[in-house]
Amino acid sequence: MKTSDFDFELPEELIAQAPLAERDASRLLVLPRNGGAPTHASFRDLPGWLRPGDLLVLNDAKVIPARLRGAKEASGGKVELLLCDPLASLGDRAVWRCMGGSSKPLRPGAWLRFEAAGGMLRAEIVAVGEGGFVDVAFDEAPDALLDRVEELGELPLPPYMKRAPEASDRDRYQTIYARHRGAVAAPTAGLHFTDEVFSALRERGVERTAVTLHVGPGTFLPVRADSVEEHRMHAERYEISQDAVDAIARTREAGGRVIAVGTTALRTLESAAEETGRIRAGAGVSSLFVTPGFRFRVVDGLLTNFHLPRSTLVMLVAALAGRERLLAAYTEAVERRYRFYSYGDAMLVS
């Protein structure tokens, strides 16, 4: 497959730069998985498009304000870090792999200082890798570091949002059910949910459970290879509880459908699935790249946002819906002025 096979015209003004006033006021395009024309609805109509006995699988990862801006202690030169993945601690010091940037190259042994109204944080570069990645040891224990980052860090809005983060983004670029800290980006399909929608889903007889996948910066990386098969996904940490495994098993036994809320929930489930479709509880790392031809073992449907051209996310949805049908639906969405990506509208493929 060629990356260009997943291209389409997307006017820049359709990439949502801010959320709507109400989370569940988004539009919903419903695309039947097994054929048929798309239907245009409101996200508040979602319960009516699901069946009693269906199971929604959410990603309850919580976005951290992972962007730190500071300076080198020796020279005062400006430096910026984006926390990506936690590594093994050095004694009682938390170590993270970060994307680093500064006016001059970062080198092992350099000490950094980050200061804001919330206080001060020191860190040491312990290793420099390829592609701008550095391993950084902080003068805080792992749990304490996340508390400090909450005070000192900046929310890393996606690069296609052409603005600085605002105070309101701390709430709106987070699902209402976010629990486990560590994600760099939000599992954005879940941003539409409200307590009222969840109440209507319960009345409809739709169940829900959650898994955790800490979304990394790789979700924003473009596919630069001409051939889809040449692209490599960044690894992301996930965890699946026994409760989630049991909920999926009960749904299967009762004849219900498993609907992933977001591409991250889908990749988590399919990464942990055995050939039989049975899910393994526990922690793991996923670098699964889902493209057309993929055999789904767990997921029957997907609730997702509208994605950018030539992205791995479009390829994943095309694997479930069919490439031509998906691109036709996207063309219709553009014509009807749907809002795209993180703060945009939603699509249900089921």
Side-chain angles (χ1 to χ4, degrees):
M1 289 178 289
K2 294 185 179 298
T3 303
S4 58
D5 292 338
F6 299 89
D7 205 357
F8 59 92
E9 291 294 327
L10 176 62
E12 188 172 349
E13 66 269 18
L14 295 186
I15 300 176
Q17 298 296 308
L20 298 176
E22 299 176 329
R23 288 177 180 267
D24 57 5
S26 299
R27 299 162 74 185
L28 178 68
L29 187 151
V30 181
L31 185 64
R33 184 178 175 186
N34 295 322
T39 301
H40 303 280
S42 165
F43 191 82
R44 292 167 180 158
D45 300 327
L46 176 65
W49 290 99
L50 299 175
R51 305 170 189 164
D54 283 348
L55 176 71
L56 292 178
V57 182
L58 313 167
N59 180 4
D60 63 5
K62 188 172 185 178
V63 183
I64 60 174
R67 192 181 305 282
L68 296 172
R69 301 182 192 272
K72 299 176 184 178
E73 286 194 340
S75 66
K78 292 183 179 180
V79 66
E80 180 178 318
L81 295 180
L82 179 67
L83 279 66
C84 297
D85 290 297
L87 304 175
S89 299
L90 285 177
D92 59 356
R93 301 169 68 195
V95 181
W96 278 68
R97 181 152 292 156
C98 305
M99 294 184 73
S102 65
S103 55
K104 293 183 179 179
L106 294 171
R107 303 191 185 282
W111 279 87
L112 315 175
R113 181 187 295 264
F114 305 94
E115 296 183 82
M120 187 268 288
L121 177 65
R122 295 181 74 234
E124 179 188 10
I125 304 294
V126 294
V128 176
E130 297 180 352
F133 285 95
V134 292
D135 294 350
V136 182
F138 294 88
D139 276 0
E140 296 281 356
D143 289 340
L145 174 64
L146 291 180
D147 293 336
R148 301 295 283 151
V149 167
E150 292 288 345
E151 300 167 351
L152 300 171
E154 178 183 299
L155 195 74
L157 286 180
Y160 48 80
M161 290 189 191
K162 309 299 184 183
R163 63 177 178 85
E166 301 172 358
S168 60
D169 290 309
R170 288 253 182 158
D171 171 61
R172 291 304 304 273
Y173 194 62
Q174 199 86 265
T175 65
I176 66 170
Y177 49 82
R179 291 182 56 200
H180 299 290
R181 296 186 295 182
V184 172
T188 55
L191 297 180
H192 308 278
F193 284 96
T194 60
D195 290 333
E196 292 74 17
V197 171
F198 279 134
S199 177
L201 287 165
R202 283 194 300 271
E203 292 178 4
R204 176 70 169 165
V206 176
E207 302 293 329
R208 62 170 161 145
T209 190
V211 297
T212 305
L213 182 137
H214 291 299
V215 190
T219 190
F220 303 126
L221 293 180
V223 180
R224 300 191 185 279
D226 292 332
S227 171
V228 170
E229 289 80 5
E230 293 175 7
H231 180 74
R232 294 294 176 266
M233 298 284 286
H234 279 213
E236 295 169 313
R237 297 169 291 124
Y238 71 79
E239 187 162 357
I240 303 176
S241 68
Q242 188 60 50
D243 286 344
V245 169
D246 293 343
I248 292 168
R250 288 195 302 270
T251 299
R252 286 277 186 233
E253 291 170 2
R257 299 179 300 172
V258 176
I259 310 294
V261 177
T263 59
T264 59
L266 184 150
R267 288 195 296 108
T268 301
L269 295 176
E270 296 295 338
S271 294
E274 299 175 350
E275 283 298 318
T276 60
R278 179 178 176 271
I279 296 289
R280 301 182 298 275
V285 175
S286 175
S287 56
L288 181 65
F289 188 12
V290 178
T291 59
F294 181 84
R295 185 173 69 85
F296 292 92
R297 292 168 290 184
V298 181
V299 171
D300 301 300
L302 172 68
L303 178 70
T304 187
N305 282 19
F306 287 89
H307 305 295
L308 301 187
R310 304 168 69 101
S311 65
T312 61
L313 306 177
V314 161
M315 296 172 190
L316 182 151
V317 184
L320 194 68
R323 186 185 70 87
E324 293 183 359
R325 293 190 67 243
L326 179 71
L327 292 180
Y330 266 45
T331 298
E332 188 167 329
V334 168
E335 291 172 351
R336 290 175 176 255
R337 310 296 290 176
Y338 274 72
R339 303 166 77 246
F340 275 65
Y341 226 54
S342 297
Y343 278 149
D345 294 314
M347 169 185 276
L348 175 66
V349 181
S350 66

